[in-house]
Amino acid sequence: TPPRTPGYDDPNDLHRLDSTENLLRPPSPGSNNSSEPSSPTDLSVKRYHVNVTAIENEEKKQPVATGNDKLLIDASKKGDLRKMIELHEAGACLTSVDQYGMTALHHAARFGHKDIVKYLIEQASPVILDMLDYEKGQTALHKAAWYQRRTICCMLVGAGASLTRSDYQGNTPRLQALKAEDKELAAYLESQEHFQLVVSEDQETAV
């Protein structure tokens, strides 16, 4: 069980974050056009990540979801928790991916469906937290940070999502928040980043 991060269990912190949460909305579910722009970055860094991280991700690609697995991902986009639970109980896999390598958690984080995120954190394998999409090499936390889903960021961090993992362009979730011009969220993610690194170092020392 990952250690609890400061502030995650404090309802006042969550309320403060939620009350000022940016309501920027991505395209409606089912749209083929993404409004998420590519972030400018140093070409050498981008080239390194594309050549190394992208190749590793290519080797780990899973089969594209079909049947109930696909319906479960669709339910996550729409925020239909009841349908998701029904499909999961019927055998659908919570860690299945669509053609873009995005899980139900990626979509729920992107569209701001907190109840879906909570259910997936509680019911899915922990590996879902750091699964990468194919296009950008991003986790659900990257998506939540870009779309300024503050409460969802808190939920993912509290569940143990990596704060130091970089996408194909070298961006961590904190850098995503900065590029989205949410300085408060970036400051929160930076503080948790330090906490996560300290915990990791303590665990290595103990071993």
Side-chain angles (χ1 to χ4, degrees), residues 40-73:
T41 187
D42 181 76
L43 290 178
S44 62
V45 174
K46 180 177 180 180
R47 189 176 298 114
Y48 172 80
H49 282 277
V50 169
N51 289 344
V52 179
T53 314
I55 292 174
E56 291 176 352
N57 201 23
E58 180 73 23
E59 295 172 350
K60 298 176 182 178
K61 277 190 175 181
Q62 299 183 33
V64 175
T66 58
N68 281 351
D69 290 346
K70 183 179 183 302
L71 292 176
L72 184 143
I73 291 175

Side-chain angles (χ1 to χ4, degrees), residues 59-197:
E59 295 172 350
K60 298 176 182 178
K61 277 190 175 181
Q62 299 183 33
V64 175
T66 58
N68 281 351
D69 290 346
K70 183 179 183 302
L71 292 176
L72 184 143
I73 291 175
D74 289 342
S76 74
K77 296 178 186 178
K78 300 172 183 175
D80 191 342
L81 179 60
R82 181 178 298 180
K83 184 66 175 179
M84 171 172 280
I85 294 174
E86 177 185 314
L87 290 164
H88 181 213
E89 291 177 346
C93 178
L94 294 177
T95 56
S96 56
V97 300
D98 61 16
Q99 66 268 40
Y100 306 109
M102 294 177 67
T103 64
L105 188 60
H106 279 102
H107 289 294
R110 183 183 183 198
F111 286 98
H113 301 312
K114 301 181 188 70
D115 53 347
I116 299 287
V117 171
K118 182 176 184 294
Y119 181 79
L120 290 168
I121 288 174
E122 293 174 349
Q123 300 295 325
S125 166
V127 300
I128 198 172
L129 293 169
D130 294 323
M131 289 178 69
L132 309 178
D133 70 356
Y134 300 151
E135 181 184 3
K136 297 178 182 294
Q138 294 182 344
T139 64
L141 185 56
H142 281 96
K143 304 297 184 187
W146 177 258
Y147 288 106
Q148 303 166 59
R149 309 298 187 186
R150 295 181 172 190
T151 301
I152 289 177
C153 283
C154 286
M155 295 168 71
L156 294 171
V157 170
S162 174
L163 285 144
T164 57
R165 185 181 290 276
S166 299
D167 64 14
Y168 294 160
Q169 294 183 334
N171 297 317
T172 60
R174 176 178 64 83
L175 290 177
Q176 286 287 93
L178 281 176
K179 290 178 183 297
E181 300 183 353
D182 191 334
K183 293 180 180 179
E184 286 187 15
L185 177 57
Y188 164 76
L189 293 173
E190 183 176 22
S191 70
Q192 301 308 302
E193 208 173 283
H194 292 317
F195 176 79
Q196 202 172 78
L197 288 171

